[in-house]
Amino acid sequence: MENWETKHIVFFDGDCGVCNFWVQWILERDTKDQFMFASLQSEFGQQFLSERGLETKVFNTLYLWKPKQYYFIKSRAVLQIASILGGIYKLSVVGKMIPGFLSDKVYDMISRNRMKLANQKCFLPDQHQKKKFIQV
């Protein structure tokens, strides 16, 4: 496992096929090695949630955390991830002009239906990718 304290940590629902798809998507585009991942169900994920007084039993929210700096949730986390990836994804900055409550409504609609959108897939990370997971 790499030093997670210097990375952007993506917390995701480890039981969700859509979430696992997006984790793989980020992994494939993280050419600057800026991200690490932890499922919300893991001990590390539960500690993150508990320390911030966040819901620990419902896993329908994506979190992006930069230790000792910030954390984003839902649509703002998605937009920040795209911005950090850079390149063409930097264009996501346009999405930041949409008020958070509106973009979060779209996020919530997708989140409510995420189990219908994708079946759970068995993702097998390669050796390099395994180092990017804190706990799943």
Side-chain angles (χ1 to χ4, degrees), residues 28-41:
E28 292 169 5
R29 288 155 181 81
D30 184 19
T31 57
K32 296 178 185 170
D33 195 30
Q34 300 175 90
F35 294 95
M36 290 191 74
F37 305 88
S39 74
L40 291 165
Q41 293 92 331

Side-chain angles (χ1 to χ4, degrees), residues 7-69:
K7 305 286 183 174
H8 299 275
I9 315 247
V10 177
F11 291 94
F12 65 99
D13 180 352
D15 293 331
C16 169
V18 171
C19 303
N20 281 292
F21 169 85
W22 286 110
V23 166
Q24 291 175 57
W25 188 89
I26 296 167
L27 276 168
E28 292 169 5
R29 288 155 181 81
D30 184 19
T31 57
K32 296 178 185 170
D33 195 30
Q34 300 175 90
F35 294 95
M36 290 191 74
F37 305 88
S39 74
L40 291 165
Q41 293 92 331
S42 69
E43 184 179 325
F44 189 79
Q46 289 290 292
Q47 180 180 347
F48 169 83
L49 295 170
S50 294
E51 287 175 354
R52 288 156 186 80
L54 301 168
E55 174 61 52
T56 60
K57 302 288 184 221
V58 178
F59 307 115
N60 60 356
T61 300
L62 176 80
Y63 297 89
L64 175 66
W65 178 42
K66 178 70 172 177
K68 299 180 184 172
Q69 292 186 31

